[in-house]
């Protein structure tokens, strides 16, 4: 069984910063990709940033130069969000794509953390 624990959301003023954390635990043999998605009211969930096992990263155009994703060796991923804008307001979800020892690839979503940016 896999668990993802997200933290770090909250309310900040435009121009401020937040750091989201996602801690993975459980029956994870190896991590393939960890990523952050967000969903604003009335909108589809969208990819914000992802980091692959080899360290390569991908960012949505809307956050390039402001958000930075990282990972440590303890199966944690972080999203540093700077120069936040009201349009960044959304529920942010951590997504884990991983292999079990059997070699089967799975994906797992966190419960989400609310990020609200006031103008």
């Amino acid at each position: 069984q896999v668990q993802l624990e997200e933290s770090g959301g909250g309310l900040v003023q435009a121009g401020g910063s937040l750091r989201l954390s996602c801690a993975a635990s459980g029956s994870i043999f190896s991590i393939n990709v960890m990523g952050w998605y967000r969903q604003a009211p009335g909108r589809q969930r969208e990819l914000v940033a992802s980091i692959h096992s080899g360290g390569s990263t991908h960012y949505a155009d809307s956050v390039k130069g402001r958000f930075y994703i990282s990972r440590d060796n303890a199966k944690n991923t972080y999203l540093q969000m700077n120069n936040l804008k009201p349009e960044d307001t959304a529920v942010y979800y951590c997504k884990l794509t991983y292999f079990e020892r059997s070699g089967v690839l799975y994906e797992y979503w966190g419960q989400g953390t609310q990020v609200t940016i006031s103008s």
Side-chain angles (χ1 to χ4, degrees):
Q1 189 166 350
V2 171
Q3 289 185 328
L4 289 179
E5 185 173 345
E6 299 152 326
S7 60
L11 169 65
V12 297
Q13 289 187 326
S17 298
L18 282 173
R19 187 181 190 232
L20 304 183
S21 299
C22 175
S25 61
S27 303
I28 300 167
F29 181 69
S30 68
I31 291 174
N32 185 37
V33 184
M34 294 189 83
W36 289 94
Y37 290 69
R38 67 186 180 188
Q39 187 166 19
R43 302 190 67 175
Q44 288 190 330
R45 191 173 296 187
E46 62 176 358
L47 174 66
V48 176
S50 62
I51 184 164
H52 292 244
S53 57
S56 61
T57 56
H58 173 80
Y59 296 93
D61 287 343
S62 59
V63 306
K64 282 181 181 176
R66 300 189 297 123
F67 290 14
Y68 300 94
I69 189 170
S70 61
R71 234 193 82 186
D72 63 22
N73 292 329
K75 301 177 184 176
N76 301 318
T77 186
Y78 308 95
L79 185 67
Q80 178 66 43
M81 305 186 294
N82 302 322
N83 189 23
L84 284 159
K85 304 176 180 181
E87 51 265 41
D88 294 319
T89 295
V91 178
Y92 283 69
Y93 297 90
C94 178
K95 179 184 175 183
L96 167 68
T97 307
Y98 67 98
F99 290 97
E100 282 196 342
R101 189 172 294 275
S102 63
V104 176
L105 186 67
Y106 292 90
E107 64 178 41
Y108 196 83
W109 290 88
Q111 294 299 306
T113 184
Q114 177 69 46
V115 171
T116 304
I117 313 303
S118 63
S119 58

